[in-house]
């Protein structure tokens, strides 16, 4: 069976569980359930601390894992990213009291508080900057006021927490991050387990694509088909079926969800009617 490490709590946990469930895999019944055996799909799901997942994958205890790119890099565990998963997006940045710093070159000799010690140390080393990195497990925003640090390095989403602490980000972003499916380098599986991994990646891609698209159906006078097809070209081309009488045709096309309403307006102006949008649960492209 393919052994998969998934986050057991935190911001990564629910989105990862939702994605796997949408892809057809079993979901644990309670937060106390640490291992889920999904015989039908040939996988075992191990629910582990997000920060520990890279270590388990790197040691070969499990085959693949889902965690954030920031945690993966901070672990210093060699890894091969199989698939970006499109959730838990964040930006990792330095921040300091408002108006005090403007560039990362000003970090020379500074005390930097962070929960991502290795990530920050590697970033500084690449730029030849010597600074003291202070490891904290959380609430790094308070470290400057409490005199522990001069600067912090942390995940920035909306920036609200920083502003409340009187801080502002400065300089370039250390990195942008999202959740990824990854394995250890050189992972070798038997043919059956490799097939299960290939199916997993294909299913997850299918769900991610499905989240970006909707199915658009409408009726259009047959004489206006070319104009309608130009509005909704689909992935290859729209599906067209003649309606009874031959004067109208039914059209179906897969379209970008962000453009769906604009397309509906354009289709209506072009003469289309009975315009319907439906969600796509999963797909294979």
């Amino acid at each position: 069976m393919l052994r998969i490490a998934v986050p057991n709590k935190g911001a990564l946990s629910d989105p990862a569980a939702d994605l796997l469930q949408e892809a057809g895999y079993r979901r644990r019944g309670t937060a106390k359930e640490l291992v889920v055996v999904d015989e039908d799909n040939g996988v075992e799901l191990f629910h582990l601390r997000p920060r520990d997942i890279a270590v388990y994958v790197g040691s070969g205890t499990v085959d693949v894992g889902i965690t954030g790119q920031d945690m993966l890099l901070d672990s210093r565990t060699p890894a091969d990213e199989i698939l970006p998963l499109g959730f838990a997006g964040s930006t990792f940045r330095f921040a300091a009291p408002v108006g005090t710093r403007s560039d990362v070159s000003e970090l020379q000799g500074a005390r930097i508080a962070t929960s991502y010690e290795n990530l920050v140390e590697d970033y500084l080393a690449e730029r030849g900057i010597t600074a003291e990195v202070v490891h904290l497990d959380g609430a790094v925003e308070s470290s400057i006021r409490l005199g522990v640090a001069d600067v912090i390095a942390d995940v920035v989403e909306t920036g609200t927490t920083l502003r409340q602490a009187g801080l502002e980000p400065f300089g370039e972003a250390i990195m942008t991050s999202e959740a990824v499916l990854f394995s250890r380098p050189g992972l070798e599986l038997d043919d059956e387990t490799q097939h299960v991994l290939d199916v997993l990646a294909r299913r997850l891609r299918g769900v991610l694509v499905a989240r970006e698209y909707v199915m658009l159906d409408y009726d259009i006078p047959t004489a206006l088909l070319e104009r309608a097809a130009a509005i909704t070209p689909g992935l290859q081309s729209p599906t067209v079926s003649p309606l009874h009488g031959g004067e109208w045709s039914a059209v179906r096309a897969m379209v970008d969800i962000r453009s769906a309403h604009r397309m509906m307006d354009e289709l209506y102006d072009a003469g289309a009617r009975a315009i319907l949008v439906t969600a796509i649960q999963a797909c294979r492209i």
Side-chain angles (χ1 to χ4, degrees):
M1 300 188 82
L2 181 72
R3 297 164 298 176
I4 308 170
V6 295
N8 66 346
K9 59 183 178 180
L12 290 163
S13 179
D14 285 343
D18 291 343
L19 179 62
L20 287 165
Q21 185 175 36
E22 288 179 48
Y25 296 93
R26 281 189 56 195
R27 188 171 190 147
R28 63 177 175 172
T30 69
K32 294 182 179 180
E33 193 174 1
L34 301 180
V35 182
V36 175
V37 179
D38 188 341
E39 295 278 1
D40 292 340
N41 291 303
V43 302
E44 291 179 283
L45 302 168
F46 295 85
H47 294 81
L48 306 169
R49 290 180 67 248
R51 281 187 170 272
D52 295 338
I53 287 176
V55 177
Y56 282 104
V57 174
S59 68
T61 306
V62 294
D63 300 313
V64 297
I66 294 174
T67 195
Q69 289 170 313
D70 49 2
M71 296 181 188
L72 185 56
L73 287 178
D74 191 57
S75 74
R76 290 178 175 161
T77 300
D80 286 340
E81 293 187 11
I82 299 172
L83 181 68
L85 299 177
F87 65 87
S90 62
T91 303
F92 197 68
R93 302 194 66 178
F94 292 109
V98 175
T100 60
R101 297 177 190 263
S102 61
D103 190 77
V104 295
S105 62
E106 300 169 13
L107 292 172
Q108 187 71 30
R111 297 172 300 164
I112 306 170
T114 184
S115 300
Y116 297 79
E117 181 179 3
N118 292 333
L119 180 58
V120 172
E121 286 181 349
D122 292 344
Y123 178 89
L124 295 174
E126 289 174 2
R127 287 154 182 79
I129 298 173
T130 301
E132 178 187 353
V133 179
V134 180
H135 177 79
L136 297 176
D137 285 329
V140 296
E141 295 85 1
S142 302
S143 63
I144 297 176
R145 180 173 294 180
L146 294 173
V148 174
D150 308 306
V151 173
I152 68 168
D154 202 11
V155 172
V156 178
E157 294 179 356
T158 64
T160 300
T161 304
L162 290 181
R163 288 192 293 272
Q164 290 173 345
L167 307 177
E168 65 177 357
F170 67 90
E172 63 181 9
I174 301 170
M175 71 170 297
T176 57
S177 174
E178 67 177 301
V180 292
L181 175 70
F182 71 100
S183 70
R184 64 185 180 278
L187 174 66
E188 294 184 3
L189 302 171
D190 59 59
D191 290 345
E192 182 178 351
T193 309
Q194 182 62 52
H195 175 69
V196 173
L197 175 55
D198 293 342
V199 169
L200 169 67
R202 191 183 312 131
R203 286 189 184 186
L204 294 180
R205 286 191 188 96
V207 172
L208 295 173
V209 171
R211 289 177 174 179
E212 296 293 320
Y213 288 85
V214 291
M215 195 64 73
L216 188 58
D217 292 272
Y218 56 92
D219 296 341
I220 187 88
T222 302
L224 301 175
L225 267 175
E226 291 302 317
R227 182 178 177 186
I231 298 172
T232 59
L235 295 186
Q236 276 79 41
S237 64
T239 300
V240 179
S241 303
L243 296 178
H244 181 70
E247 294 183 0
W248 285 70
S249 294
V251 181
R252 163 167 280 200
M254 193 171 169
V255 303
D256 189 315
I257 191 170
R258 293 162 295 190
S259 304
H261 283 282
R262 174 184 58 78
M263 290 181 177
M264 292 174 75
D265 294 335
E266 292 180 8
L267 288 169
Y268 189 89
D269 291 341
R273 295 296 182 266
I275 306 169
L276 306 175
V277 171
T278 52
I280 302 171
Q281 295 300 316
C283 65
R284 303 289 186 273
I285 301 300

